Amino acid sequence: MHSHHSALGLATLPVGGRSVAEIADSRPVQPVTLLRPHAAARAARFFAERFNGRALYAVKANPSPDLLRVLWDSGVTHYDVASIAEVRLVARNLPEATLCFMHPVKAEEAIGEAYREHGVRTFSLDSMEELEKIVRATGGASDLNLLVRIRASSAHSKLSLAAKFGVEPGQSRELLFAARQAADALGICFHVGSQAMSPAAYAEAMEGVRAAIVEAAVTVDIVDVGGGFPSSYPGMEPPPLDAYFRVIHDAFESLPVSYSAELWCEPGRALCAEYASLIVRVEKRRGDELYINDGAYGALFDAAHIGWRFPVRLLRDDDSRAKPVGFSFYGPTCDDLDRMAGPFELPADVQVGDYVEIGMLGAYGCAMRTQFNGFGSDLSVVVEDEPMASLYVELHEPARSNVVKL
Ligand SMILES: *Cc1c(COP(=O)(O)O)cnc(C)c1O
């Protein structure tokens, strides 16, 4: 781990760490990312122990090399990469990892480099053109795992992945048949959309897998149920992950696949949402609007653009007895788009100079940051506190209350 911010006296510590209260107490001028490696490790172990198959980490959710190392150390050996930059990143940081190139539309050059220089053997596809690219770029290799992506409904999910990729039901026959000829192992994959709020999403998609297998009459060696496993956010508290696993295991058991067929999944969000949070400072208050020092162009893209709500808590020396009120946030840049509607519940007496922790930003939060308008910071520090919500542990009251006494 690196410590690139000694100026503030905040270093990323390799083991152990500080407390959230200590960091707020140091009154940082810039937003600070708080890392919880123990939470990511716990999530990885949960998938390793409870999912009856292989869990690939979907790197796009959070490509931080520190996180990749935590997941590797917790038993994640396979990584779902979507671009040649992600291929290179994981190959550089985890040279022994197995990479699976799961973007169904790739540059032919990217396929060639991944195959020749990084040992990638697993590719997804959803068209004949992509199959031809893969065959050409690998010189007609005979050691390929090819996974045909079929379309799945995103009806149960908060973020759709249904429109862009995937062969239509009823049109996969020709592609499965052709991929079978080119593949050493043939798979079928899908993605039910991110933050799937019901296990039924997977049951329904598995019916699509069954129909595709029956129609094409091919032997299938891998069934990959993709990502979509949820995390916990205000107003979006999902059923336990075990309920998802049960539905998937049952559906897989009854599929007409080869008896040695493998079950895979590709969690992104579920493995890293609890990994990071952010401390921001209130720079102005206007009624129930708080102007904070991170926003839509920082780690709060989803809060701004799709109205995602994240847990928040006030970090203060003296307890606030004020009632909770729903606030909206403005980020630091100079445009109206930099607004997070929330509502974010904080004590009614929040004021300029207060520090607020915004939780559950490990997935699609830190990964989306830009430096637009000169704002944003990559200060980060490891803390020992539990995450503000969790699918993996029962949290005690202090972690849940929305005021933390420093
Ligand atoms: C984004 C993505 C994932 C991860 O999705 P989550 O909802 O974060 O679990 C997995 N597989 C593919 C192909 C993806 O595009």
Side-chain angles (χ1 to χ4, degrees):
M1 305 216 177
H2 27 257
S3 54
H4 41 254
H5 31 256
S6 43
L8 253 181
L10 304 175
T12 304
L13 305 178
V15 251
R18 309 198 187 177
S19 70
V20 174
E22 260 180 273
I23 308 307
D25 224 9
S26 75
R27 309 202 63 76
V29 175
Q30 298 285 334
V32 180
T33 302
L34 308 177
L35 303 177
R36 291 164 167 90
H38 71 282
R42 189 164 55 203
R45 286 194 305 267
F46 187 94
F47 272 83
E49 285 164 16
R50 312 278 190 105
F51 185 78
N52 291 342
R54 170 167 285 148
L56 288 60
Y57 172 55
V59 172
K60 79 167 184 287
N62 187 330
S64 142
D66 288 348
L67 173 62
L68 294 176
R69 174 56 58 180
V70 169
L71 296 176
W72 174 262
D73 289 343
S74 307
V76 179
T77 55
H78 288 55
Y79 293 78
D80 162 0
V81 284
S83 59
I84 194 62
E86 286 184 357
V87 170
R88 293 175 190 147
L89 173 85
V90 181
R92 191 166 62 240
N93 284 279
L94 304 174
E96 290 170 71
T98 302
L99 307 185
C100 304
F101 210 155
M102 301 306 286
H103 194 307
V105 185
K106 297 169 285 299
E108 196 167 321
E109 294 82 353
I111 299 167
E113 179 185 327
Y115 181 83
R116 284 190 313 275
E117 295 177 33
H118 305 291
V120 178
R121 295 295 177 266
T122 304
F123 299 90
S124 80
L125 61 144
D126 67 358
S127 67
M128 281 294 191
E129 293 93 322
E130 189 73 9
L131 179 59
E132 286 158 17
K133 279 193 234 167
I134 294 170
V135 169
R136 269 198 308 271
T138 61
S142 59
D143 56 356
L144 299 175
N145 306 320
L146 298 181
L147 285 88
V148 172
R149 170 105 166 234
I150 62 170
R151 185 167 292 194
S153 160
S154 280
H156 296 282
S157 302
K158 293 293 173 181
L159 259 173
S160 175
L161 275 80
K164 198 166 180 177
F165 302 128
V167 216
E168 290 288 348
Q171 306 194 341
S172 54
R173 185 169 170 269
E174 192 193 7
L175 186 56
L176 278 168
F177 198 77
R180 178 72 272 178
Q181 313 306 308
D184 179 25
L186 175 68
I188 297 184
C189 60
F190 59 79
H191 198 299
V192 298
S194 205
Q195 185 74 5
M197 293 300 292
S198 166
Y202 295 89
E204 290 164 22
M206 287 296 241
E207 283 312 305
V209 173
R210 172 195 305 283
I213 295 174
V214 168
E215 199 193 333
V218 287
T219 304
V220 166
D221 310 299
I222 301 162
V223 175
D224 178 350
V225 301
F229 299 95
S231 189
S232 183
Y233 305 89
M236 290 190 279
E237 288 91 357
L241 284 177
D242 274 328
Y244 291 75
F245 292 177
R246 241 185 338 264
V247 162
I248 292 167
H249 296 158
D250 287 351
F252 180 66
E253 286 304 311
S254 73
L255 283 180
V257 289
S258 74
Y259 102 104
S260 58
E262 294 181 17
L263 176 63
W264 294 7
C265 66
E266 307 165 351
R269 180 186 303 283
L271 288 182
C272 62
E274 299 178 23
Y275 175 63
S277 66
L278 189 71
I279 288 189
V280 297
R281 187 164 73 177
V282 177
E283 302 291 4
K284 173 181 168 174
R285 175 170 177 177
R286 184 175 76 182
D288 56 7
E289 300 167 314
L290 302 179
Y291 293 62
I292 59 176
N293 58 357
D294 199 66
Y297 303 92
L300 299 174
F301 182 98
D302 282 350
H305 296 291
I306 52 176
W308 209 272
R309 290 172 59 212
F310 294 92
V312 293
R313 55 180 170 174
L314 183 60
L315 307 168
R316 213 191 241 179
D317 283 326
D318 304 311
D319 245 336
S320 171
R321 287 202 189 78
K323 282 211 189 73
V325 166
F327 287 92
S328 65
F329 294 158
Y330 273 117
T333 72
C334 301
D335 59 290
D336 285 358
L337 274 178
D338 195 3
R339 176 173 186 274
M340 287 61 66
F344 303 100
E345 286 227 327
L346 289 164
D349 63 352
V350 184
Q351 53 188 325
V352 172
D354 272 330
Y355 285 88
V356 173
E357 182 181 12
I358 306 174
M360 310 301 282
L361 286 170
Y364 309 110
C366 302
M368 315 272 283
R369 276 196 292 238
T370 74
Q371 298 280 315
F372 177 55
N373 222 173
F375 294 103
S377 96
D378 57 3
L379 300 180
S380 57
V381 57
V382 170
V383 294
E384 288 175 331
D385 305 58
E386 287 296 1
M388 290 174 68
S390 182
L391 284 192
Y392 305 101
V393 274
E394 288 286 332
L395 295 177
H396 309 298
E397 237 1 86
R400 258 199 239 127
S401 105
N402 64 353
V403 184
V404 174
K405 207 165 175 303
L406 299 183

